[in-house]
Structures are given as structure tokens and as C-alpha cells.
Amino acid sequence: MCGIVGYIGKRQAYPVIIKGLKRLEYRGYDSAGVAILNGDTRIFKCKGKVSDLEDLVKNKNMDGSIGIGHTRWATHGEPNDVNAHPHASQNGHFVIIHNGIIENYSRLKHRLEDRGYKFKSETDTEVLANLIEYIYLKGKVSAEIAVRLALSKVIGAYGILVICKEERDQLIAARKGSPLVVGIGDGEYFLASDATPIVEYTHSVIYLNDSNVAVIKSGELTLKTIKNDTLTPEIHTLDLDIGEIEKGGFEHFMLKEIFEQPRSILDTMRGRVVTEKSEIFLGGLFHVMPRLIQAKRIIIIGCGTSWHAGLVGEYLIEEFARIPVEVEYASEFRYRNPVLFKDDVVIAISQSGETADTLAAIRLAKNECGLVLGICNVVGSSIPRETDAGVYTHAGPEIGVASTKAFTAQVTVLAMIALHLGEKRGFTSKEDYKEMIKNLTEIPGKVDKILSKSEDCKRIAELYKNSNNFLYLGRGYFFPVALEGALKLKEISYIHAEGYPAAEMKHGPIALIDEKMPVVVIAPKDNTYEKIVSNIQEVKARKGIVIAVVNEGDTVIKEMADHVIEVPDTDFALAPLLTVIPLQLLSYYIAVLRGCNVDQPRNLAKSVTVE
Ligand code: G6P
């Protein structure tokens, strides 16, 4: 949430920053700004997208080899020119950009006001800029000391970049709760809130940890804690390719990511599903497997789409491994004083690995539970670093704000965990294990087949693009898929949509059904097939429009439904991986036909690093 870019070195900073901001725009896009330090500090910022910022700086002098830039997702203060970052301190000594929330900003602001500070914006960031300046002037200390002392007074989360007018060959970065990565070039440094703006310049990076301060001065980086303890930087190599973060000929990142799923699901299984031996090997869980096998209960936590994947995980683990599973919204779990035991295992699921609520839930669980695991997509992000062990999904960077390939990768990991546990605990026979592994390896090919018929979804999208409401129904494994389908539609097309367990429809939503209501029913053959056929009849009896996702060759539902979208057969425990694909496509095409900005839906951010 909010994108941060900084550069210090020998090149012109502005082109690096603007390009980086474009790559980060998926993290926030309500306003943007840049500051270049070259003698004095020049700040340009405006409401709107990075392209508006580009228009603003046209024909301006952007010369300088130190700079910071920001693309914002508003927390404090509405999105406008004044609240946009960077923020300068009152006397112009400091300019900062900030991602996160300073919780005690109001108290700090009052104290600064008592000392004569006046504020132009409504942001917590300006408070921090002024606090740093106040300490700098009052204490007559260096910029670095002023930053560290100011941060020691701050409660909340931050990833900040700071430049000081008087200390011209220096850029300071600090982090607590909001991610920051430093890319190391040849006598130059690239800073960003994730690695996507960095990868085209260097693959050597340092991930800042909480309470770290990086001071880059005269071509040298020093890493410290806020308390001034010197640290040895750990240099990592980025496993990321520039092609992965470009659109590759697709109109939108979301479409590209939907179409990448045959490959991304395969990558999630690569080296883990060993077909020749009919074995699943999860290297990241190897050392903790004995404890996982003994778990009395598994608690899955996540937010948004990751929470939906967790629900599928509940069905999978309970069915194959017979371990009781609870799935919790991270934001609820962390505040409701949950009862936890030492033999509970917590699994946190997150695409970004940075979601604030999920991180906070992990920290709570770590105090009480024996084992906390992570299922994450972004390598080196905070969640994998804070959990005891885990599994990377390896789906590749997901840029589209609406999550697609991350969901199928997460479900694939959960299926592997469930099957492996099932076999080890003796609840899944060798034959079933072997058969399920075979089914799993066939999923990428089947996804490919569904994608080859994407035009069917486009045709249906044309017919219902102007609907005001949609209902999504599913039972068992397809209830979470219904939730995910409804979420996708809401997120990118702004159509109200609800996902419901099909049988529960009678207890409320059925009252909504009329001849204008499209009802998407996820109905491949499973143990509740007959029941869902009855649910479809109930919808039709009330003149609802039924769009059904069915198995190839299904004739029963085809007779009743207004439209059917076919998916290949598989074991129904794995069918969420197939049935979700047409729902992603349907929401994508509806949003495009409605003229919505699919990759940057209003009010949303890809990575929610605030509570
Ligand atoms: C945001 C994104 C969603 C995502 C959710 C959880 O709301 O827009 O797509 O599912 O955060 O994010 P995580 O990175 O933890 O999976």
C-alpha cells in the first residue's frame, strides 16, 4: 500500500524514479510525487496517477542524482495535491516519503504546534517530517541522528525515505512494519517498497528488517538499528526476471496473470510433486513435518482472496488428513483473544507477505502456538521471515490488484499439504494418494483447456455487463469458489455481488431473485450434485438467470441453465482450481466492457500494509 522509490548514485534520479513509480502504481494510485535533491530540494506532486505527475513535471528542471518518489493510497487525509507525498518540513530542511500509519501522530502534532509548527496537510507524514526537523534544529544533531531519535518517538508503522537539504550526498531509509528493499548497484543504490522497480538495475538486494535504518552516503551504505547499533547487511539475490513484471502483450496484468495459471500452478508443484515416485516433497516444511503431522488443530489465517484459499484448505485438510481446521480472518483473529494451544499449528496465507493484519496475527500466534507456518508468494517478504517455516507459492509476481494466479497457487500448496499429511497420518490410502497426485499434475493442462475457451465467458459478460447485482452459489469445495467469484466481480467492476452456500440461499438471498438477477452456480459433479440441481431449479422457478459452471458433457444442468461454462473433470477436491478460472474471466470481461480500470480498481491496493 503506497509505493516508494528512491535513487542515489551517478545517474539522473528522475527517470529511475518515474519508471519505478509506474511499476509500483498497483500499490496505490490516488496521488503521486517526486523530490529531487540538487543544491536545493525540488518537490512536484499532484492528485491522480503517475502519468499526471509526468505531465506536471514536463519542461521542469529535473536534474539531480538523488531523489525520492511516491505513489499514494490515502490513509490520513483525502487524496489531493497537498496531502500527496513527498512532504517537506516547515523550514525546508527535510523532505520525506512515507508508507504506513503513525498512530500517535495527533499527540506529536499537538506538541509540535505548541512549539510553533504549522501544518499544510492532514497527513501523519508531515508530522514526522517536522518532528525530524525539530530534533535536528533543537539538538543540533546530524540528519541521521535526528531521524533515529524521531523514529524512537513514533508508534505505528513506517517505511520512509528521507533527504536533508544540508547533507547533500545522503539518503536515509528506515522501516518498521512497511517493507523496504535496497538494491545495490555499482556505486549506486535503488530503494523501493518492493523489488519490482529494482530488478532491471540489479539483482543484489538488502531487505530492511523492522527498526533498521540504512544510511547511504558518498556511495557507501551503513545499516543500523534505530538505537544506533551497527548491523552487517545480508545481501540476497533477487529471483525475479524483468519479463515477469511486464504485460507481455496482454492488455492488462490481470488477464496476463489469469492466462499464466497453467504455468504458475506447474511452478508451484515443481520439485514438490514427484510423479515417478508418487510422492509429495515439501522442502520448506521438512524439519517441522513431524510437528505438523501431530497437530491437534490447524488454524488458517489470511485476508481477502488468501482467506478464500484458506477455506478450500479447510475442506482439503479435514477430508484427506482428518485434522480439525479453523479458518480465520487475520483482522478478527488478532483482536478477539482467541484460545490457542501449544499443539495448534497456524498457517498464514498471503500473496504479498506484507499484509499488516496477517503479520499481526502471526505475531500473536507465535506467543501461544507451537508452530506458525506461512504460504507466501513474494520471496523475502515479511511473513516468510517471521514464520517458523513455510512454502513459497512461486506463482511469479502478481501485479493486477485482483488476485488470480496467487489463489490457484495457494490452493495447490494446500492440496499438497493435505495429501501429504493424509498419507503420513494414514487417512489417505497409497492408491488414493497416487491417484490424487496424478490428478494434480493434470490440472495445468486442464486450466489451459478452459482458457482456450475464454470467448465463451466474454459472450456471457456482454449479456450481463449492465446488471446491478450478481449472486454466486456453490456447495462444499465450491462455496469458497463462489465467494472468490463474487469478490473478483465486486473488486474490478463495482457490481454488487454476493457469494453464498447454495443451500443457504433459501434462508435469505432467494428473496432477491427475479428476472434481472444473474446467478452464477458452480456445479461440477460432486457428492452434492443432485442438491445443487435442485437449487438451480429453485432459482429458475423465480425467473432468475442461471450461469452454471459444469463438467464437460453435463446434460442435466445444460437443460435448465441459461448458460453453461464447461470445465474438464477432475477429483472434486481439486476442482476449485478449475472452476475459479471462468469466474476470473467473467469478472475481467465484465469490468473491461464497463470501462473500468481493471489493474487499478478504485479504492483498492494490492498490498494492504495498514490495519
Ligand atoms: C488486498 C488485495 C487482495 C488480497 C488481500 C490479501 O485486499 O487487493 O487481492 O487478497 O489484500 O493480501 P495478501 O497479500 O495477504 O494475500
Side-chain angles (χ1 to χ4, degrees), residues 250-408:
F250 284 89
E251 200 182 334
H252 295 100
F253 280 111
M254 182 181 176
L255 191 63
K256 176 189 173 222
E257 287 156 9
I258 292 173
F259 273 83
E260 272 175 353
Q261 289 176 106
R263 199 262 318 138
S264 57
I265 297 172
L266 199 62
D267 283 349
T268 306
M269 291 191 280
R270 201 179 296 282
R272 292 165 171 164
V273 174
V274 191
T275 3
E276 313 81 63
K277 291 190 186 159
S278 291
E279 184 55 282
I280 290 171
F281 178 75
L282 296 163
L285 300 182
F286 184 71
H287 295 292
V288 298
M289 201 42 93
R291 279 148 82 196
L292 189 52
I293 290 168
Q294 297 300 323
K296 292 273 181 300
R297 176 172 71 151
I298 291 176
I299 301 167
I300 298 179
I301 50 177
C303 303
T305 291
S306 298
W307 183 79
H308 293 159
L311 288 180
V312 180
E314 175 183 12
Y315 286 89
L316 284 163
I317 294 170
E318 292 204 341
E319 178 164 335
F320 290 97
R322 309 303 297 156
I323 301 173
V325 179
E326 287 170 25
V327 187
E328 300 253 9
Y329 284 116
S331 53
E332 289 297 314
F333 177 81
R334 58 179 293 199
Y335 284 120
R336 70 167 184 79
N337 197 10
V339 179
L340 299 168
F341 301 102
K342 281 280 167 237
D343 46 16
D344 285 337
V345 173
V346 168
I347 304 180
I349 306 180
S350 173
Q351 187 287 127
S352 62
E354 300 293 351
T355 301
D357 281 320
T358 311
L359 262 172
I362 287 170
R363 287 170 191 156
L364 170 83
K366 276 182 92 170
N367 288 332
E368 318 248 343
C369 302
L371 186 61
V372 180
L373 308 176
I375 297 177
C376 255
N377 196 36
V378 179
V379 176
S381 57
S382 300
I383 291 176
R385 286 188 287 140
E386 293 209 17
T387 41
D388 299 314
V391 184
Y392 279 121
T393 46
H394 292 312
E398 192 180 65
I399 311 279
V401 168
S403 188
T404 52
K405 64 174 179 171
F407 175 81
T408 46

Side-chain angles (χ1 to χ4, degrees), residues 30 56 80 90 147 437 442 491 544:
D30 57 44
L56 179 76
N80 59 28
Q90 180 163 289
V147 169
I437 287 176
E442 286 169 359
E491 283 180 308

Side-chain angles (χ1 to χ4, degrees), residues 139-153:
K140 295 192 174 52
V141 291
S142 67
E144 178 211 319
I145 294 176
V147 169
R148 285 193 288 100
L149 288 178
L151 292 178
S152 68
K153 300 192 185 317

